[in-house]
Amino acid sequence: MRSLGEDAGFTGLRPSFAPILSLVWKEGRAPTVLAAELAVSSQACGQLIDQCERAGYLARKPNPDDGRSKLVTLTARGEALVTEGVRLILEREAEYARLVGAAAYRRFIASLATLYTGLGIPTHSDAELTARAGRSI
């Protein structure tokens, strides 16, 4: 958070933004879908979307599929935040691998992937990121 806020100039950040930003980083999603994926009420999700929107990271746009509902999408500022966040994650992971050894770190990541799958936590499979990181970020 410090690196993104103080060092990179992303203001108004809250730790609670990370889960929702990670869910919309590639495509917009309906607020009801986000609420279900975050396992929170529609009201709590709406409040989180409002906070992210006020900070300039998310926007609600008309859903092109039906014209009535809304999709939550990243703004240009939100895209820049996610890009910088991924860069920092990969940088930190390289540091951690140096500290404990590459093989031990790969085992740790494999265990986390198994845990995520078992818990049904959504992950993203972006070809470019997967190639760079060796897995979903």
Side-chain angles (χ1 to χ4, degrees), residues 43-44 59:
Q43 294 81 3

Side-chain angles (χ1 to χ4, degrees), residues 19 21 40 43 45 52 71 84 90 98 105 108 111 113 119 125:
L21 293 173
V40 298
Q43 294 81 3
C45 187
C52 291
L71 289 180
E84 181 64 9
L90 294 175
R98 282 191 302 274
Y105 194 74
F108 170 70
S111 295
L119 293 173
S125 240

Side-chain angles (χ1 to χ4, degrees), residues 20-123:
I20 197 165
L21 293 173
S22 73
L23 290 171
V24 299
W25 78 314
K26 282 296 180 185
E27 63 184 359
R29 295 180 192 238
T32 54
V33 171
L34 289 170
E37 290 178 331
L38 294 169
V40 298
S41 69
S42 293
Q43 294 81 3
C45 187
Q47 290 172 353
L48 182 58
I49 294 167
D50 289 343
Q51 291 170 352
C52 291
E53 201 169 29
R54 280 192 300 274
Y57 301 114
L58 292 180
R60 288 179 176 99
K61 296 183 176 182
N63 186 338
D65 293 337
D66 67 17
R68 292 175 294 139
S69 64
K70 299 286 184 188
L71 289 180
V72 177
T73 62
L74 290 175
T75 62
R77 184 174 184 208
E79 289 176 11
L81 171 64
V82 169
T83 298
E84 181 64 9
V86 168
R87 187 190 71 73
L88 289 170
I89 288 169
L90 294 175
E91 191 176 275
R92 294 304 182 275
E93 286 191 333
E95 177 185 343
Y96 300 157
R98 282 191 302 274
L99 289 171
V100 301
Y105 194 74
R106 279 192 302 275
R107 286 191 306 274
F108 170 70
I109 292 299
S111 295
L112 281 180
T114 301
L115 177 63
Y116 269 52
T117 300
L119 293 173
I121 297 173
T123 60

